[in-house]
Amino acid sequence: MTARRRVGILISGRGSNMKALIEAASKPGFPAEIVVVISNRADAGGIAAAQAAGIKTQVLPHQDFPDRAAFDAALDAALRAAGVEIVCLAGFMRLFTAGFVEAWRGRMLNIHPALLPSYRGLHTHERALADGVKLHGATVHFVVPEMDAGPIIL
């Protein structure tokens, strides 16, 4: 059997997508194991859920860093220290520097709450409802330096 890939999940809130990933990873034969959950917010509800599932957690408050590059460097160091191979953004509400994205190119996925390329950015549900769209969903895509513009996986 092939070794399971080591996944780090980044969250900023309640962690509903993270919980779904934790549940999936608990199934026999799932190709990945979640080794760390990191949040930029100490009050993120998902931290407690990850801890309850026995997953290592870490909080890196972005306000503690002088700029985006310093935060990204600390985040990169934390992911590498945990032996992460794949990064999954599950409601992580921060944009990254191009250098951070390039360091994880092809190994960083985002769960976006809209059918891309429509409704990039924030407030996707409100915007879709205001536009009267008949079909709305979510997209999993690779992260690239441009926001919500990476190749779509699903």
Side-chain angles (χ1 to χ4, degrees):
M1 180 171 149
T2 306
R4 297 172 72 192
R5 301 296 298 268
R6 296 175 59 85
V7 174
I9 299 177
L10 306 183
I11 63 169
S12 292
R14 59 191 167 101
S16 56
N17 285 323
M18 175 208 68
K19 291 173 192 170
L21 291 169
I22 290 171
E23 182 179 336
S26 72
K27 306 278 191 253
F30 192 79
E33 65 176 314
I34 300 165
V35 297
V36 68
V37 171
I38 301 174
S39 179
N40 63 313
R41 296 177 47 114
D43 63 348
I47 292 293
Q51 290 170 339
I55 299 168
K56 177 185 169 191
T57 61
Q58 186 171 354
V59 176
L60 287 174
H62 60 270
Q63 317 80 303
D64 290 356
F65 297 88
D67 55 32
R68 193 173 303 275
F71 172 76
D72 285 2
L75 182 57
D76 183 69
L79 291 166
R80 293 182 190 283
V84 168
E85 299 172 277
I86 297 170
V87 177
C88 184
L89 310 180
F92 190 70
M93 302 305 289
R94 298 283 301 163
L95 296 176
F96 298 113
T97 59
F100 181 87
V101 172
E102 291 302 327
W104 291 94
R105 183 178 277 276
R107 299 179 297 136
M108 185 163 42
L109 314 172
N110 184 40
I111 302 167
H112 181 75
L115 298 175
L116 292 173
S118 298
Y119 304 105
R120 291 181 171 143
L122 301 174
H123 312 294
T124 61
H125 303 297
E126 294 90 342
R127 290 168 34 215
L129 287 170
D131 289 348
V133 298
K134 302 285 187 222
L135 182 64
H136 191 62
T139 303
V140 178
H141 66 95
F142 286 106
V143 176
V144 297
E146 300 77 28
M147 182 179 64
D148 298 331
I152 292 172
I153 299 166
L154 181 67

